[in-house]
Amino acid sequence: MISQNISKSESNFNGFPETKGTNEQNADKQIDDYDPHLHRKVKKPTTNMQTFAHFLKASIGSGVLAMPSAFANAGYINGPIFTLIIGGIALHCLHILINSMYELCKRKRVPYLTFSEAMRIGFQDGPPAFRFVVPITTPFVDGFLAFYHFGICCVYVVFMAENIKQVVDENLIVLDVRLHMCFVLIPLFLIYSIRNLKMLAPFSLVANIMLLAGFCIVLYYIFESLPPISTRKPFQEISRLPIYFGTVLFAIEAVGVILALEENMEKPKNFVKPFGILNIGITIVLVLYALLGFFGYWKYGEEALGSVTLNIPQQEVLAQVTKITFAITTWVTYAVQGYVTADIIWNKYLSKRTKNASRDVLYELLIRASIVLLTFFCAVAIPDLSLFLSLVGSLCLSILGLIFPALLQICVQYGSGYGKWKIKLIKNIILVAFGIFGGIVGTSVSIVQIIDNYK
C-alpha cells in the first residue's frame, strides 16, 4: 500500500501565484516525472479482460433486475431520463475520484492510495475549513465503504433466497424464505473463501455468460404480450422519487469494487481512457438498465417486484431455470462485492494486530465466515428486497459516490485553482448539495417505509 512516512503537507497551497525558485521547479519536475502506475506492485494483477469481466459482474447484478420496480416509482418517461442523468453524474464522480487519487499519488510519490487515505490527505492539504475532520476521515470512509458493500451482500442473500424459494415452492415444498437463506450459507462460505480477484476472474467470466442468457429469457417474457403503454404512468408523484433515486444509485454505483479493480490491474491506465474499461462498462450498464427498466415497467406496471425474476411465471421450466441462473450469478457477485468489506476489515485493520503470521490465512477465513453470517442475519431481519436496495443506495452511495469525490476534487484543486469563474468549485458544491439532499430524503423515506412494513 502506501508508505507510512507520508508527511503532513508536501505542497505549498497558499493559492497565490508566485515566481518559482529553482527548488520548487525541481520539485514540480519530480512530481511530473513520477508515474504511480509504474511503481505499483500487485501480487496477482488482473488483465484488461479479467477486469472488464469483474466490472460487468459487479455492476450488472441484482440492481439491474430491480430497475422495473425503480421505474414504477418514477414513470416510463422520468425513469429513462433520470437513469441516464444519474448514471452520467455517477460516472463523472468516479472519474474525478480516480483522477484526484492519482494526482495525490504523484504529489506524495507513492504507487497507490486507498480511498480513505486519499480523503485524509486531501482534507489535510486542502482548504483549512476541512482540517478539523482529518483525524476521523480514515475510519469514517473505511466504515462507509465496508458497510456499503456489506449491505450489498445482504441484498444478494435475499435475492438468491427469493429466487430459489419460487423454484422449490413450485416443485418440492413451500418453505419460508428465511429457511432458503440458511441453505445458501454453505455455498457463500465456499465462494467467499477465495481471497483475491484474479482467482475469481474465471467465475466472473462464466457468470457473465450465464447472465447474458438469463437476460435474454427475461426479455422474452417481458416482450410477450405487452399491455397498452397507456395503462402505465409516464410520471409518478414526487413523493415516490426518493425510492427510485436510492434504487438506481444502488444499481449503478459500485465505488469500492471499481477502485479495487483499478488497483489490481496489470495496466491501470486502460481503466480511465476515453474508450477504457470504465466508460465502456458504464455505457453498457446504463443502456441495459434503461431498457430493462422501461420495458419491465411497461410489462408489469405497479406489480413490478424488487427483482423482475420474481415476476416471470413461476410454473414454467424456462422461467425456473432463469431464476436459478440469476441466483448462481449473484452468488459469484457476492464474492466480488464482498471483497471490499473483507479487504478493509482484514488487510487494513486486523492483519497488523496478529502476532502469528503463519495463521493469517486461517484468521482471514474466519473473518470472511463472520461477514457471511452477519449478512445472513441482516437479510433475515429485513427480507424486503426493494426497500433494502433503496436504503443502502441512498445512505451510502450519496456519500461515497457523490459527496466524497466532489470534496476530494475541491481539496486537490485548492492549490492550483478551480478554473475560469471557479467552475470546478461551483460544480462540486452542486454535487455535494445534490448528494446531501438525495441521501437525506432517500434514506428517511426508506426507513419510514421499512418501519411501516414491519409494525
Side-chain angles (χ1 to χ4, degrees), residues 261-278:
L261 292 177
E262 192 268 348
E263 177 190 358
N264 284 276
M265 279 188 71
E266 184 179 2
K267 298 177 180 178
K269 287 187 184 297
N270 293 335
F271 196 77
V272 290
K273 285 182 177 179
F275 293 97
I277 292 169
L278 181 58

Side-chain angles (χ1 to χ4, degrees), residues 329-377:
T329 61
T330 304
W331 171 67
V332 176
T333 314
Y334 182 102
V336 178
Q337 292 282 2
Y339 172 87
V340 178
T341 302
D343 183 58
I344 290 173
I345 294 174
W346 173 249
N347 290 327
K348 208 164 179 194
Y349 290 95
L350 297 184
S351 63
K352 302 170 185 176
R353 300 175 183 271
T354 59
K355 296 179 180 179
N356 190 346
S358 63
R359 295 187 177 181
D360 278 0
V361 173
L362 174 62
Y363 292 150
E364 183 178 357
L365 290 175
L366 288 174
I367 292 297
R368 286 173 171 267
S370 301
I371 292 171
V372 172
L373 283 174
L374 285 174
T375 60
F376 163 76
F377 289 128

Side-chain angles (χ1 to χ4, degrees), residues 24-43:
E24 277 189 279
Q25 289 175 340
N26 290 338
D28 284 349
K29 187 175 186 304
Q30 284 183 336
I31 291 174
D32 291 338
D33 289 344
Y34 183 84
D35 186 350
H37 291 159
L38 300 178
H39 293 79
R40 285 189 190 175
K41 294 181 180 179
V42 181
K43 288 183 179 179

Side-chain angles (χ1 to χ4, degrees), residues 1-2 93-94 96-98 100-101 104-105 112-123 137-146 148-149 253-260 262-263 340 343-344 348 396-409:
M1 284 298 176
I2 69 166
C93 287
L94 286 169
I96 65 175
L97 174 61
I98 293 172
S100 296
M101 291 171 68
L104 286 177
C105 287
Y112 186 76
L113 289 169
T114 64
F115 194 178
S116 59
E117 289 163 346
M119 290 301 302
R120 176 180 61 79
I121 294 171
F123 285 148
T137 299
T138 298
F140 187 79
V141 177
D142 284 338
F144 262 99
L145 263 179
Y148 162 59
H149 287 279
E253 279 275 23
V255 60
V257 169
I258 287 171
L259 292 178
E262 192 268 348
E263 177 190 358
V340 178
D343 183 58
I344 290 173
K348 208 164 179 194
C396 297
L397 285 173
S398 295
I399 295 174
L400 296 173
L402 300 175
I403 298 173
F404 281 174
L407 289 178
L408 184 59
Q409 191 177 53

Side-chain angles (χ1 to χ4, degrees), residues 277-335:
I277 292 169
L278 181 58
N279 287 346
I280 293 175
I282 288 290
T283 300
I284 293 172
V285 167
L286 287 178
V287 170
L288 282 175
Y289 283 18
L291 287 176
L292 193 63
F294 178 83
F295 288 107
Y297 173 59
W298 184 354
K299 172 73 173 184
Y300 299 111
E302 298 298 318
E303 302 302 317
L305 299 174
S307 169
V308 71
T309 56
L310 303 178
N311 284 107
I312 63 179
Q314 187 170 332
Q315 301 79 19
E316 297 185 17
V317 174
L318 184 61
Q320 293 174 14
V321 170
T322 305
K323 296 172 195 287
I324 296 299
T325 296
F326 277 110
I328 293 171
T329 61
T330 304
W331 171 67
V332 176
T333 314
Y334 182 102

